[in-house]
């Protein structure tokens, strides 16, 4: 039962949270504390560890919370729950973009965006150097 709870709660977090890992912290905190999976102090410790380990914060948080509640299988189900919505959205975009690239207007728009992106990257590099 805990595995299903972990999966569904982190699926909801992954589907409804915007703004990356830092935008998810409040939702994860509310979910974890309301389910009594962690105390507030433990949650803050988990956030600190998740920020200091490589990888996306939301994935690290899901993995750590899942591991604390259900071991390896808990970590796996929570992590799958949080990444599944993004994976499905990217998969749908990839399927649609191939059809859209056939249109001349889309190709022209992307051709115009490329120099703008290059300029933004260049401007950021100059700002960081200075």
């Amino acid at each position: 039962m805990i595995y299903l709870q972990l999966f569904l709660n982190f699926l909801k977090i992954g589907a409804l949270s915007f703004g990356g890992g830092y935008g998810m912290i409040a939702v994860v905190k509310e979910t974890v504390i309301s389910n009594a999976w962690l105390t507030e102090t433990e949650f803050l410790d988990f956030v600190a560890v998740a920020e200091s380990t490589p990888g996306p914060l939301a994935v690290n948080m899901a993995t750590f919370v899942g591991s604390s509640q259900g071991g390896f299988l808990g970590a796996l189900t929570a992590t799958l729950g949080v990444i599944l919505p993004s994976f499905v959205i990217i998969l749908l975009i990839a399927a649609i973009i191939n059809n859209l690239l056939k249109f001349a207007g889309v190709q022209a728009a992307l051709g115009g965006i490329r120099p703008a992106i290059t300029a933004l990257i260049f401007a950021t590099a100059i700002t960081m150097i200075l």
Side-chain angles (χ1 to χ4, degrees):
M1 184 64 180
I2 187 67
Y3 305 117
L4 183 61
Q5 284 181 320
L6 285 166
F7 180 78
L8 292 177
N9 278 289
F10 279 99
L11 182 71
K12 179 180 76 171
I13 290 168
L16 302 177
S17 298
F18 296 97
Y22 292 107
M24 292 181 176
I25 289 178
V27 180
V28 173
K29 179 180 179 183
E30 180 183 326
T31 301
V32 167
I33 303 246
S34 69
N35 285 305
W37 290 336
L38 300 173
T39 65
E40 192 161 345
T41 303
E42 289 172 327
F43 176 77
L44 293 174
D45 290 341
F46 275 49
V47 171
V49 172
E51 286 182 333
S52 63
T53 54
L57 180 65
V59 173
N60 291 344
M61 286 295 301
T63 304
F64 293 149
V65 171
S67 177
S68 75
Q69 297 306 301
F72 176 77
L73 192 55
L76 184 64
T77 56
T79 303
L80 285 174
V82 82
I83 65 170
L84 189 61
S86 299
F87 178 76
V88 169
I89 290 169
I90 295 298
L91 196 61
L92 290 173
I93 289 171
I96 292 170
I97 198 112
N98 280 335
N99 292 331
L100 290 177
L101 288 175
K102 296 175 185 173
F103 297 108
V106 173
Q107 290 177 355
L110 291 174
I113 291 172
R114 282 187 193 110
I117 292 172
T118 304
L120 286 171
I121 293 170
F122 185 67
T124 302
I126 289 175
T127 303
M128 292 175 70
I129 290 171
L130 300 177

PDB file of all heavy atoms in Angstrom, residues 66-91:
ATOM      1  N   GLY A  66      11.018   8.183  -0.785  1.00  0.00           N
ATOM      2  CA  GLY A  66      10.602   6.816  -1.095  1.00  0.00           C
ATOM      3  C   GLY A  66      11.474   5.781  -0.412  1.00  0.00           C
ATOM      4  O   GLY A  66      10.980   4.783   0.123  1.00  0.00           O
ATOM      5  N   SER A  67      12.766   6.038  -0.391  1.00  0.00           N
ATOM      6  CA  SER A  67      13.689   5.120   0.268  1.00  0.00           C
ATOM      7  C   SER A  67      13.446   5.057   1.767  1.00  0.00           C
ATOM      8  O   SER A  67      13.495   3.975   2.366  1.00  0.00           O
ATOM      9  CB  SER A  67      15.131   5.555  -0.012  1.00  0.00           C
ATOM     10  OG  SER A  67      16.036   4.730   0.679  1.00  0.00           O
ATOM     11  N   SER A  68      13.144   6.191   2.369  1.00  0.00           N
ATOM     12  CA  SER A  68      12.908   6.203   3.819  1.00  0.00           C
ATOM     13  C   SER A  68      11.625   5.471   4.191  1.00  0.00           C
ATOM     14  O   SER A  68      11.515   4.934   5.284  1.00  0.00           O
ATOM     15  CB  SER A  68      12.858   7.638   4.337  1.00  0.00           C
ATOM     16  OG  SER A  68      11.642   8.261   3.985  1.00  0.00           O
ATOM     17  N   GLN A  69      10.677   5.436   3.269  1.00  0.00           N
ATOM     18  CA  GLN A  69       9.387   4.814   3.571  1.00  0.00           C
ATOM     19  C   GLN A  69       9.264   3.379   3.079  1.00  0.00           C
ATOM     20  O   GLN A  69       8.531   2.595   3.660  1.00  0.00           O
ATOM     21  CB  GLN A  69       8.243   5.645   2.966  1.00  0.00           C
ATOM     22  CG  GLN A  69       8.141   7.024   3.539  1.00  0.00           C
ATOM     23  CD  GLN A  69       8.048   6.995   5.049  1.00  0.00           C
ATOM     24  OE1 GLN A  69       7.138   6.389   5.603  1.00  0.00           O
ATOM     25  NE2 GLN A  69       8.989   7.645   5.716  1.00  0.00           N
ATOM     26  N   GLY A  70       9.949   3.034   2.010  1.00  0.00           N
ATOM     27  CA  GLY A  70       9.758   1.706   1.436  1.00  0.00           C
ATOM     28  C   GLY A  70      11.008   1.073   0.901  1.00  0.00           C
ATOM     29  O   GLY A  70      10.920   0.192   0.037  1.00  0.00           O
ATOM     30  N   GLY A  71      12.170   1.530   1.334  1.00  0.00           N
ATOM     31  CA  GLY A  71      13.421   0.946   0.852  1.00  0.00           C
ATOM     32  C   GLY A  71      13.622   1.183  -0.630  1.00  0.00           C
ATOM     33  O   GLY A  71      13.179   2.193  -1.187  1.00  0.00           O
ATOM     34  N   PHE A  72      14.285   0.228  -1.271  1.00  0.00           N
ATOM     35  CA  PHE A  72      14.601   0.372  -2.694  1.00  0.00           C
ATOM     36  C   PHE A  72      13.342   0.483  -3.544  1.00  0.00           C
ATOM     37  O   PHE A  72      13.255   1.330  -4.435  1.00  0.00           O
ATOM     38  CB  PHE A  72      15.452  -0.813  -3.169  1.00  0.00           C
ATOM     39  CG  PHE A  72      15.738  -0.777  -4.637  1.00  0.00           C
ATOM     40  CD1 PHE A  72      16.704   0.077  -5.141  1.00  0.00           C
ATOM     41  CD2 PHE A  72      15.027  -1.573  -5.525  1.00  0.00           C
ATOM     42  CE1 PHE A  72      16.958   0.143  -6.504  1.00  0.00           C
ATOM     43  CE2 PHE A  72      15.275  -1.521  -6.888  1.00  0.00           C
ATOM     44  CZ  PHE A  72      16.247  -0.668  -7.369  1.00  0.00           C
ATOM     45  N   LEU A  73      12.361  -0.367  -3.286  1.00  0.00           N
ATOM     46  CA  LEU A  73      11.124  -0.337  -4.078  1.00  0.00           C
ATOM     47  C   LEU A  73      10.359   0.967  -3.861  1.00  0.00           C
ATOM     48  O   LEU A  73       9.781   1.521  -4.798  1.00  0.00           O
ATOM     49  CB  LEU A  73      10.239  -1.538  -3.745  1.00  0.00           C
ATOM     50  CG  LEU A  73       9.072  -1.803  -4.681  1.00  0.00           C
ATOM     51  CD1 LEU A  73       9.533  -1.931  -6.117  1.00  0.00           C
ATOM     52  CD2 LEU A  73       8.323  -3.057  -4.253  1.00  0.00           C
ATOM     53  N   GLY A  74      10.381   1.497  -2.652  1.00  0.00           N
ATOM     54  CA  GLY A  74       9.754   2.790  -2.372  1.00  0.00           C
ATOM     55  C   GLY A  74      10.443   3.918  -3.129  1.00  0.00           C
ATOM     56  O   GLY A  74       9.793   4.800  -3.688  1.00  0.00           O
ATOM     57  N   ALA A  75      11.782   3.874  -3.149  1.00  0.00           N
ATOM     58  CA  ALA A  75      12.545   4.881  -3.890  1.00  0.00           C
ATOM     59  C   ALA A  75      12.221   4.804  -5.376  1.00  0.00           C
ATOM     60  O   ALA A  75      12.030   5.830  -6.038  1.00  0.00           O
ATOM     61  CB  ALA A  75      14.041   4.687  -3.659  1.00  0.00           C
ATOM     62  N   LEU A  76      12.137   3.590  -5.887  1.00  0.00           N
ATOM     63  CA  LEU A  76      11.840   3.399  -7.308  1.00  0.00           C
ATOM     64  C   LEU A  76      10.445   3.899  -7.662  1.00  0.00           C
ATOM     65  O   LEU A  76      10.273   4.630  -8.655  1.00  0.00           O
ATOM     66  CB  LEU A  76      11.980   1.920  -7.672  1.00  0.00           C
ATOM     67  CG  LEU A  76      11.809   1.565  -9.133  1.00  0.00           C
ATOM     68  CD1 LEU A  76      12.902   2.210  -9.975  1.00  0.00           C
ATOM     69  CD2 LEU A  76      11.835   0.054  -9.309  1.00  0.00           C
ATOM     70  N   THR A  77       9.444   3.558  -6.863  1.00  0.00           N
ATOM     71  CA  THR A  77       8.079   3.973  -7.185  1.00  0.00           C
ATOM     72  C   THR A  77       7.894   5.482  -7.055  1.00  0.00           C
ATOM     73  O   THR A  77       7.232   6.094  -7.892  1.00  0.00           O
ATOM     74  CB  THR A  77       7.042   3.234  -6.318  1.00  0.00           C
ATOM     75  OG1 THR A  77       7.336   3.446  -4.946  1.00  0.00           O
ATOM     76  CG2 THR A  77       7.022   1.763  -6.621  1.00  0.00           C
ATOM     77  N   ALA A  78       8.463   6.094  -6.026  1.00  0.00           N
ATOM     78  CA  ALA A  78       8.348   7.548  -5.864  1.00  0.00           C
ATOM     79  C   ALA A  78       9.055   8.270  -7.008  1.00  0.00           C
ATOM     80  O   ALA A  78       8.539   9.251  -7.553  1.00  0.00           O
ATOM     81  CB  ALA A  78       8.906   7.981  -4.515  1.00  0.00           C
ATOM     82  N   THR A  79      10.228   7.791  -7.370  1.00  0.00           N
ATOM     83  CA  THR A  79      10.985   8.421  -8.460  1.00  0.00           C
ATOM     84  C   THR A  79      10.246   8.280  -9.788  1.00  0.00           C
ATOM     85  O   THR A  79      10.156   9.241 -10.563  1.00  0.00           O
ATOM     86  CB  THR A  79      12.397   7.811  -8.551  1.00  0.00           C
ATOM     87  OG1 THR A  79      13.047   7.982  -7.289  1.00  0.00           O
ATOM     88  CG2 THR A  79      13.214   8.471  -9.635  1.00  0.00           C
ATOM     89  N   LEU A  80       9.723   7.088 -10.058  1.00  0.00           N
ATOM     90  CA  LEU A  80       8.937   6.909 -11.289  1.00  0.00           C
ATOM     91  C   LEU A  80       7.718   7.824 -11.299  1.00  0.00           C
ATOM     92  O   LEU A  80       7.375   8.391 -12.340  1.00  0.00           O
ATOM     93  CB  LEU A  80       8.501   5.452 -11.440  1.00  0.00           C
ATOM     94  CG  LEU A  80       9.588   4.477 -11.862  1.00  0.00           C
ATOM     95  CD1 LEU A  80       9.054   3.047 -11.843  1.00  0.00           C
ATOM     96  CD2 LEU A  80      10.132   4.822 -13.224  1.00  0.00           C
ATOM     97  N   GLY A  81       7.080   7.979 -10.152  1.00  0.00           N
ATOM     98  CA  GLY A  81       5.913   8.851 -10.069  1.00  0.00           C
ATOM     99  C   GLY A  81       6.231  10.292 -10.407  1.00  0.00           C
ATOM    100  O   GLY A  81       5.484  10.955 -11.132  1.00  0.00           O
ATOM    101  N   VAL A  82       7.357  10.793  -9.914  1.00  0.00           N
ATOM    102  CA  VAL A  82       7.674  12.207 -10.132  1.00  0.00           C
ATOM    103  C   VAL A  82       8.181  12.476 -11.554  1.00  0.00           C
ATOM    104  O   VAL A  82       7.979  13.571 -12.087  1.00  0.00           O
ATOM    105  CB  VAL A  82       8.658  12.733  -9.055  1.00  0.00           C
ATOM    106  CG1 VAL A  82      10.090  12.387  -9.368  1.00  0.00           C
ATOM    107  CG2 VAL A  82       8.515  14.228  -8.857  1.00  0.00           C
ATOM    108  N   ILE A  83       8.816  11.492 -12.193  1.00  0.00           N
ATOM    109  CA  ILE A  83       9.346  11.744 -13.542  1.00  0.00           C
ATOM    110  C   ILE A  83       8.382  11.348 -14.660  1.00  0.00           C
ATOM    111  O   ILE A  83       8.531  11.810 -15.785  1.00  0.00           O
ATOM    112  CB  ILE A  83      10.713  11.058 -13.775  1.00  0.00           C
ATOM    113  CG1 ILE A  83      10.583   9.548 -13.729  1.00  0.00           C
ATOM    114  CG2 ILE A  83      11.747  11.571 -12.809  1.00  0.00           C
ATOM    115  CD1 ILE A  83      11.833   8.814 -14.178  1.00  0.00           C
ATOM    116  N   LEU A  84       7.406  10.514 -14.358  1.00  0.00           N
ATOM    117  CA  LEU A  84       6.496  10.031 -15.398  1.00  0.00           C
ATOM    118  C   LEU A  84       5.737  11.147 -16.127  1.00  0.00           C
ATOM    119  O   LEU A  84       5.677  11.135 -17.366  1.00  0.00           O
ATOM    120  CB  LEU A  84       5.519   9.004 -14.820  1.00  0.00           C
ATOM    121  CG  LEU A  84       4.662   8.265 -15.827  1.00  0.00           C
ATOM    122  CD1 LEU A  84       5.527   7.472 -16.806  1.00  0.00           C
ATOM    123  CD2 LEU A  84       3.690   7.332 -15.115  1.00  0.00           C
ATOM    124  N   PRO A  85       5.175  12.140 -15.435  1.00  0.00           N
ATOM    125  CA  PRO A  85       4.466  13.202 -16.174  1.00  0.00           C
ATOM    126  C   PRO A  85       5.368  13.950 -17.161  1.00  0.00           C
ATOM    127  O   PRO A  85       4.976  14.184 -18.303  1.00  0.00           O
ATOM    128  CB  PRO A  85       3.967  14.139 -15.070  1.00  0.00           C
ATOM    129  CG  PRO A  85       3.892  13.285 -13.862  1.00  0.00           C
ATOM    130  CD  PRO A  85       5.015  12.300 -13.991  1.00  0.00           C
ATOM    131  N   SER A  86       6.575  14.284 -16.745  1.00  0.00           N
ATOM    132  CA  SER A  86       7.498  14.986 -17.649  1.00  0.00           C
ATOM    133  C   SER A  86       7.873  14.114 -18.831  1.00  0.00           C
ATOM    134  O   SER A  86       7.949  14.594 -19.966  1.00  0.00           O
ATOM    135  CB  SER A  86       8.768  15.383 -16.901  1.00  0.00           C
ATOM    136  OG  SER A  86       8.452  16.252 -15.845  1.00  0.00           O
ATOM    137  N   PHE A  87       8.096  12.838 -18.570  1.00  0.00           N
ATOM    138  CA  PHE A  87       8.452  11.906 -19.640  1.00  0.00           C
ATOM    139  C   PHE A  87       7.344  11.816 -20.675  1.00  0.00           C
ATOM    140  O   PHE A  87       7.596  11.870 -21.884  1.00  0.00           O
ATOM    141  CB  PHE A  87       8.753  10.526 -19.043  1.00  0.00           C
ATOM    142  CG  PHE A  87       9.087   9.487 -20.073  1.00  0.00           C
ATOM    143  CD1 PHE A  87      10.325   9.472 -20.678  1.00  0.00           C
ATOM    144  CD2 PHE A  87       8.154   8.528 -20.434  1.00  0.00           C
ATOM    145  CE1 PHE A  87      10.637   8.517 -21.633  1.00  0.00           C
ATOM    146  CE2 PHE A  87       8.448   7.574 -21.381  1.00  0.00           C
ATOM    147  CZ  PHE A  87       9.701   7.561 -21.984  1.00  0.00           C
ATOM    148  N   VAL A  88       6.109  11.701 -20.225  1.00  0.00           N
ATOM    149  CA  VAL A  88       4.966  11.592 -21.140  1.00  0.00           C
ATOM    150  C   VAL A  88       4.804  12.879 -21.947  1.00  0.00           C
ATOM    151  O   VAL A  88       4.572  12.838 -23.162  1.00  0.00           O
ATOM    152  CB  VAL A  88       3.680  11.238 -20.364  1.00  0.00           C
ATOM    153  CG1 VAL A  88       2.441  11.372 -21.244  1.00  0.00           C
ATOM    154  CG2 VAL A  88       3.775   9.838 -19.789  1.00  0.00           C
ATOM    155  N   ILE A  89       4.941  14.019 -21.294  1.00  0.00           N
ATOM    156  CA  ILE A  89       4.806  15.302 -21.999  1.00  0.00           C
ATOM    157  C   ILE A  89       5.879  15.446 -23.067  1.00  0.00           C
ATOM    158  O   ILE A  89       5.595  15.837 -24.206  1.00  0.00           O
ATOM    159  CB  ILE A  89       4.844  16.472 -20.997  1.00  0.00           C
ATOM    160  CG1 ILE A  89       3.566  16.469 -20.161  1.00  0.00           C
ATOM    161  CG2 ILE A  89       5.037  17.802 -21.713  1.00  0.00           C
ATOM    162  CD1 ILE A  89       3.603  17.407 -18.964  1.00  0.00           C
ATOM    163  N   ILE A  90       7.124  15.120 -22.730  1.00  0.00           N
ATOM    164  CA  ILE A  90       8.213  15.208 -23.711  1.00  0.00           C
ATOM    165  C   ILE A  90       7.994  14.220 -24.855  1.00  0.00           C
ATOM    166  O   ILE A  90       8.247  14.533 -26.022  1.00  0.00           O
ATOM    167  CB  ILE A  90       9.582  14.954 -23.032  1.00  0.00           C
ATOM    168  CG1 ILE A  90       9.886  16.068 -22.035  1.00  0.00           C
ATOM    169  CG2 ILE A  90      10.693  14.823 -24.053  1.00  0.00           C
ATOM    170  CD1 ILE A  90       9.999  17.444 -22.634  1.00  0.00           C
ATOM    171  N   LEU A  91       7.493  13.039 -24.534  1.00  0.00           N
ATOM    172  CA  LEU A  91       7.204  12.047 -25.561  1.00  0.00           C
ATOM    173  C   LEU A  91       6.135  12.554 -26.532  1.00  0.00           C
ATOM    174  O   LEU A  91       6.270  12.413 -27.752  1.00  0.00           O
ATOM    175  CB  LEU A  91       6.747  10.742 -24.903  1.00  0.00           C
ATOM    176  CG  LEU A  91       6.751   9.481 -25.732  1.00  0.00           C
ATOM    177  CD1 LEU A  91       8.155   9.161 -26.221  1.00  0.00           C
ATOM    178  CD2 LEU A  91       6.217   8.327 -24.902  1.00  0.00           C
TER     179      LEU A  91
END
